[in-house]
Amino acid sequence: MINSLRSGVSGLRTHQTRMDVIGNNIANVNTVGFKRSRVTFREVLGQLKLGVARIAGGKGVNPSYVGRGVSVGAIDQDWSQGSFEGTGLATDLALSGDGFFLVRGNDQTVLSRDGSFLFNGEGNLVNSTNHKVQGFAIGDDGAVDMSTLRDITIDFVTQAPTEPKFTENVMLSGNLSADAAEGETISVSTAVYDEQGRTHNAVIKFTKTANGNEWDVEVTYAGNATPPPFADVTSTATFDVDGSLMSPGAIDLTWDTSYVASGTTLSLDISELTQFSGSTTASVGDQDGYSAGNFLGYTIDAAGIVSLNFSNGEQKPTFQLALGNVHNPNGLLQLGENLYGVSASSGDLVTGRPGSEFSQTSVVAGALEMSNVDLGTEFTDMIVTQRGYQASARVITTSDELLQEIVQLKR
């Protein structure tokens, strides 16, 4: 009789534990990066009532046990992928695949799936508890230094990594309409840069001649600098009957020595121009000069590379996010605040990079991984747990009634 009471009590305790876990799952249904937990039960070793034996005729007697209830076997976490929720914030990051972000605080590196990061006043990428996000530094040669984990940091007053570069080549492409009338003029302008990164405007003017396959070309400086950065140049562009350019392939200008070293040529490449019937689409496709660059912002790509963007079009990779993982994630220590610590059960921490050592994992910028809790599943488990709790309570009350009957025997 006492055993049945204890079995009922064990049922109450284990189902209460399961209800506590379910309640925690439901409470964290909107917690970023949260992974639901589940409880598994196991039976308690029963009391042997009849041992193994043999009787006459060689027949065996099976052992007989009376169970002593139930206990909590394990509380494991479900590490399946949560859904993504777009936020539009460049520093909000989500991991698609296995692994954890690595963050450092109190001289300890810990793991997290919560990617709600931001840059603090010192330029450090941190989480909501001011733990610094870890990464690998990228050198000027583009090589990733994986020897040491470093705090991901941005200098908001940095300049572009290279000095200004003067323009040597300007490339034009597009079409000059074969339907244009004699004397019709098309103008295209472009910015060019001198050796100090100063901007000058050049205007390329095309005028249709009496010869239907020729255009007069005039390149002029549009500004008031004295002396002008280059002298005006004229030429004639001649097209073949098939619409392709015959000559010249390029028009050369010479930089004035006040702006660029002596004898340096500014080449205007027009070899990609065509003359077909239809619209005129001639434009400057590219030019290879740029000014000194000021910091504009940053981007984080799918490989976790943090790049600085500058006003002159330059981009400089500075860090790559570091990821970590262990052989047994269920052995991790829950530290609270969406953080996990390595333990003897989890195994050693393995570090790497998205898309490389973690080949199946990528970074999604501007989004957060939400909880993988499914309310339908949790409420169903809650009903089952409640019924199990009620049944265990009924075992206790029934056992009590039986004991009461025994007590009444002496009357």
Side-chain angles (χ1 to χ4, degrees), residues 62 104 115 129 197 212 224 286 304 314 330 358-359 374 383 405 411:
N62 294 328
R104 183 177 64 85
T129 56
N224 53 12
D286 194 14
E314 288 285 283
N330 281 315
F358 290 82
S359 59
D374 177 65
I383 294 171
E405 289 296 325
R411 294 186 178 180

Side-chain angles (χ1 to χ4, degrees), residues 343-408:
S343 72
S345 298
S346 67
D348 295 333
L349 176 65
V350 178
T351 60
R353 298 165 296 169
S356 296
E357 292 74 21
F358 290 82
S359 59
Q360 303 300 315
T361 304
S362 60
V363 177
V364 181
L368 293 174
E369 181 187 10
M370 302 308 294
S371 166
N372 65 353
V373 172
D374 177 65
L375 286 178
T377 299
E378 300 303 326
F379 282 120
T380 301
D381 289 346
M382 183 184 294
I383 294 171
V384 173
T385 303
Q386 182 181 11
R387 294 292 177 255
Y389 190 94
Q390 289 175 336
S392 296
R394 184 58 59 86
V395 169
I396 294 174
T397 57
T398 303
S399 298
D400 178 60
E401 291 174 358
L402 293 176
L403 285 173
Q404 188 176 3
E405 289 296 325
I406 293 175
V407 172
Q408 295 296 328

Side-chain angles (χ1 to χ4, degrees), residues 204-243:
I204 305 103
K205 184 168 65 175
F206 298 90
T207 304
K208 189 68 175 290
T209 67
N211 183 334
N213 291 325
E214 288 185 352
W215 295 73
D216 288 334
V217 184
E218 182 180 13
V219 184
T220 60
Y221 164 62
N224 53 12
T226 304
F230 50 84
D232 296 346
V233 174
T234 59
S235 182
T236 300
T238 303
F239 293 88
D240 201 344
V241 292
D242 63 1

Side-chain angles (χ1 to χ4, degrees), residues 13-35:
R13 289 175 176 172
T14 52
H15 283 88
Q16 180 61 62
T17 299
R18 189 183 189 193
M19 186 64 74
D20 292 340
V21 172
I22 293 172
N24 183 64
N25 289 342
I26 294 174
N28 286 280
V29 67
N30 290 316
T31 300
V32 175
F34 179 81
K35 302 301 179 183

